[in-house]
Amino acid sequence: MKIGYYPGCSLSSTGREYNESLQVIAPLLGVTLQEIEDWNCCGASSAHATNRQLSLALAARNLALAETQAIPEVLAPCAACYNRLASARHALAKDTRAFEKTREVLERPEFSNSVRVKTSVEWLRDLAPVIQKKAEETASRSATSPSVKGLKVACYYGCLLVRPPEVTQWPTQWDDPEDPSSMETVVRATGAEPVRWNRRLDCCGAGFSLSRLDSVARLGREILQEAKKAGAQALVVACPLCHVNLDFRQQAIARKAGGEFDLPVFYITELVGLALGASQAQLGLNRHYVRTDSVLERSP
Amino acid sequence: MTSTGFEPKIAAFVCNWCTYTGADLAGTSRIQMATNVRIIRLPCTGRIDPLFIIKAFERGADGVIVSGCHPADCHYTAGNYHARRRFTLFNDFIEFLGIDSRRITFSWVSASEGQKWADIVNDTTARVRELGPFSGYRDLVRSGLTGGQDAGT
Amino acid sequence: MSRIGVFVCHCGENIARTVDCAAVAKRLAELPGVAHSVDYKYMCSDPGQALIKQAIAEKGLTGVVVAACSPHMHEKTFRRAVSGAGMNPHFCEMANIREHCSWIHEDRVKATDKATQLASFIVEKVKRNRPLQPIHIPIERRALVIGGGIAGIQASLDIADGNREVVLVEKEPSIGGHMSQLSETFPTLDCSQCILTPRMVETYQHERIRLHTYSEVESVEGYIGNFTVRIRKKSRSIDEEKCNGCGACIQACPNRKSPNEFDTGLGKRTSVYVPFPQAVPNIPVIDRASCLFFRGRAKGAKKDVCKKCEAACGKGAIAFDREDRIIEEKVGAIIIATGYQLYSIGKEQANPAFKGYGEYGYGTIPDVIDGLQFERLASASGPTAGKILRPSDGKEPKRIVFLQCIGSRDPAKGIQFCSKICCMYVAKHTMLYKHKVHGGQATVFFMDVRAAGKGYDEFSRRAIEEDGARYIRGRVSKLERDGEVIKVYGYDTLNGAPVVMDADMVVLATAMVPQTGISTLAQKLSVSYDRYGFINEAHPKLRPVETNTAGIFVAGACQAPRDIPDSVSMASAAAAKVLGLFSNEKLEREPSVAVVNRELCTGCFHCQRVCPYGAIDRFEVKDRKGALLKTVAEVNKGICQGCGTCQAACPSKSVELEGFTDEQVFAEINALEWTGQGVSDEGGRR
């Protein structure tokens, strides 16, 4: 199986582990990642906060490249990159004038906006039966740690994975924006146990990590506290910025807003990797700020 | 007004409940419009036989308007749907019959759309005026190619 | 030989200002077949009409054309006039030279030409008119009312008091509908059951009302004045004749755990049960799904598992072997009064176009309830004897938050409309709560407060000013279970700040939607309904209680959300329509219906396929020995509404619409050519 791959800027920098773990699990799941050649930054927040045409063109260029490279479907693991690409796809499909203008700006008159964009969560959810089978095989082969079996995790979706519904749940609805369950399906397939908790769709503070750390601290504390109250031993995320705000900033949250958490934050791809027998080092877990070994050795 | 002073004659087949009443409303509101349209009242556009249109052209009409209730509003619930389907097929046939399809207007005018009716009358009149007189059938009939004198029916 | 009389009206200055009426009359006089052509100032006036009558007598006219205003204005007037002179009214038609000519043009020459031509069309048509006689159909002067809620009850009583018999069908074991579930009604805070039960009893005892409870409409055939209705009387497993309502069976039943539907699932009931103590009729029903006897039988048990009710019954009224029965009733009019149900916030929706509220937990948070559930809590005869208690732990809630517009006015959930009653009943709920829990605090999140009825605004102000309800303008984005409390995340748009509060109970004012299965019932009746399932009225302003199907009327919340006074008014209005219909010995209908020529008809039944009313029947043409020659179409004059779609669809031109035959229409079209030279006389062959 093949799928197009758009790593985006953060997966080569602050979100390195996300990329590393993804590269490890893809072949284990029988999937070849075909990275879009010459991809550019999706524009992130700066573009859409500055100029609409720029934000459409930057994102659309990647879709146009995918088209010329015969890639029908693109995996965009970073939730923000996913949001930019999917928003561009949606906007160009609904606004013919914007579509014409974007084709003009990109100098690609043959671009037909036919490429589908997927989050890593949807991609993994569709592979859940494969993950489950391979996880069981791995577990039966060696009963040694690190193991995620029975590990209680709180699935944290954040803002951009299933929202806004008009953009992400189009053209097909792949999850419920008010009550999503895709991440829980993946977690169960790995053998870990998702907990019921309240803060799944709340914002982590996103870019305010740099400009308004007090907000991130307040928001982060709610999330971590609620996860702990629900009995979670770890969090699982699918967005590099969420990861930064909950992992890198966990100490700052505790200091500024109070509380003691000691909750490691896994990328969903890391959790899957662990279930499939990859080592912590292979998955980049040593680069996390909140250490992961204790919880992995703790779980049965 | 063309230089020849040609004024088209336009027959309009309208449904009693919506368009006819809409045209009444245009009248009550004193909305002025072109004088070229002659309305023929029918209970429903579903009653309209495509032959009516052809006959109208044969008998001197240069243009035809067919107008009824908006979809879902037909007084007889479904007559206008049948009319619409009939005319979708008929449209393909018209050019074959030698009638420029721009001479025929198909519209939905509700009982409250007096202005819309006036617009349709004026637009159709202007369009048909541009296209000039339609004399295809009459010429055929008069030339005797139809095999006999026009018996008047 | 046609002798048409043409009368061109000046209508004062309305026509005469733009159209030269004298000239029009003069030109039309030249038309072959016109025996009389004059103009006059006011044709609709008495002298004007006298002119017509005189001309008919003196000139032996065979038809009359009045060129004047729109036929929608005065066709009836002139038809009555010619009728008075002994001419069949269908020989009189109007040419519209006012709304369609003099009022919309200014060029006198062109307008006069056009008026002449328009009148000539009608002259040609009238030459081919036929003397149509009104169609009389017999009427069965009994009514069927579907639905025994307050609207159905009111309509039934009104018709029965008007001396006509009513068949009232109700699908639940008791009549009363949702009004019987309410504790108190706005704006008077009357005890709902107290004002309703006398009506229920009156309905039950009325000699002209035949009540079929625990029954549903199975099928409806026929047409106005002549409906045949088959009703399924579902089996109660009780012999209704023998039962005296003593309740011994209910006391004896060992199962006390079935959820009580009347108490909206908040209470429990036995398998043999009466839905509520004041049920009418007071005859129990055995719920076969939970009854041990029936479950045993279904599993194939050799011995009867339980027959305690039968043993306890002193009258031998338990009838395990009784099955559903189908009965037939003949009625002349039907009133649909099936009422409403509340929209559910759950994941599973009765209507696929609706979405539930994931942000409120999809109905899984136990102390988040809807309006009817709150009514049952507040009700003295409810599961908590009128105490407001949390379903989860039975504790008294100190803080209740009410959310308005749940489902309603929310396109994201598939419902655009406003449910009309919620603002009022939420205000009522806050007052009932305060009266029962003195230290309690009610908070209401609203978008608007719609209190448009008599005494309504005053009532809703009372909730705030006298009973301390706190109203916050804004919506709630999320409800979360947090231990024992419910966390409410809302927004105060007037203060411009988010509001987060803890609640012990949350009451959702959910949308009023039509009952499940309404579309199936509507299809059985051939009435139309909108995308939500609400029954369509014939005209939203001027015909609110009729449907587009002759003889079928509508009342109450099944047509649109409404409160009790409006439902009662509508029910009385529908009853008045029915009584008006029944005040005739026979029904008279406009004769502009379709007629099939049996000789030409080949029996292809295209007409049947396109007829919107199902007015085409099959007729067997037999020879004298009774052998079948062919089956042809036949138009039912009672049902046919005269649209003419059949005629346009008929490949052999065997069906004709009286009043708009091909002959008539082609005659009008042919007149397009006339500019003063002769057009052929009648005898219109094609």
Side-chain angles (χ1 to χ4, degrees), chain A residues 163 173 176-179 181 196-202 222 226 229, chain C residues 347 355 357-359 362 364 413 477-483 487 489:
Chain A
R163 295 182 293 204
Q173 174 149 24
D176 183 342
E178 294 291 356
D179 186 24
S181 57
R196 277 185 72 113
W197 67 301
N198 280 331
R199 301 266 80 78
R200 299 188 306 154
L201 291 163
D202 284 22
E222 291 300 316
E226 186 65 32
K229 206 161 102 180
Chain C
K347 260 198 194 159
K355 285 204 182 66
Y357 274 82
E359 52 267 54
Y362 281 129
T364 57
K413 304 302 178 194
S477 65
K478 218 168 165 66
L479 291 178
E480 279 171 1
R481 204 192 318 200
D482 186 14
K487 271 203 134 49
Y489 292 87

Side-chain angles (χ1 to χ4, degrees), chain A residues 32-46:
Chain A
T32 312
L33 299 172
Q34 187 185 346
E35 190 168 322
I36 299 177
E37 248 188 68
D38 196 33
W39 60 264
N40 55 272
C41 171
C42 68
S45 321
S46 339

Side-chain angles (χ1 to χ4, degrees), chain B residues 20 23-24 26-28 30-39 117, chain C residues 14-21 24 67-70 95-119:
Chain B
Y20 193 92
D24 277 354
T28 327
R30 314 291 198 275
I31 302 177
Q32 302 296 300
M33 59 185 95
T35 54
N36 312 60
V37 173
R38 314 278 183 257
I39 289 180
W117 174 247
Chain C
N14 281 311
I15 298 179
R17 195 173 355 115
T18 325
V19 170
D20 184 345
C21 300
V24 172
C69 52
S70 170
N96 186 337
I97 61 169
R98 189 183 71 171
E99 282 86 337
H100 289 186
C101 191
S102 72
W103 271 352
I104 58 174
H105 304 311
E106 279 170 348
D107 183 322
R108 200 175 165 77
V109 170
K110 293 211 168 101
T112 306
D113 264 349
K114 177 169 168 173
T116 314
Q117 191 151 62
L118 289 176

Side-chain angles (χ1 to χ4, degrees), chain A residues 191-223:
Chain A
E193 214 180 279
V195 300
R196 277 185 72 113
W197 67 301
N198 280 331
R199 301 266 80 78
R200 299 188 306 154
L201 291 163
D202 284 22
C203 182
C204 66
F208 287 135
S209 194
L210 299 174
S211 50
R212 290 289 302 269
L213 192 51
D214 51 336
S215 295
V216 167
R218 181 174 51 84
L219 292 166
R221 187 194 55 164
E222 291 300 316
I223 294 169

Side-chain angles (χ1 to χ4, degrees), chain C residues 69 85 131 338 347 388 437 463 505 511 524 535-536 539 564 604 631:
Chain C
C69 52
T338 53
K347 260 198 194 159
I388 311 291
V437 181
M505 181 185 272
K524 285 181 185 164
I535 304 292
N536 281 339
H539 188 281
I564 293 167
C604 74
T631 308

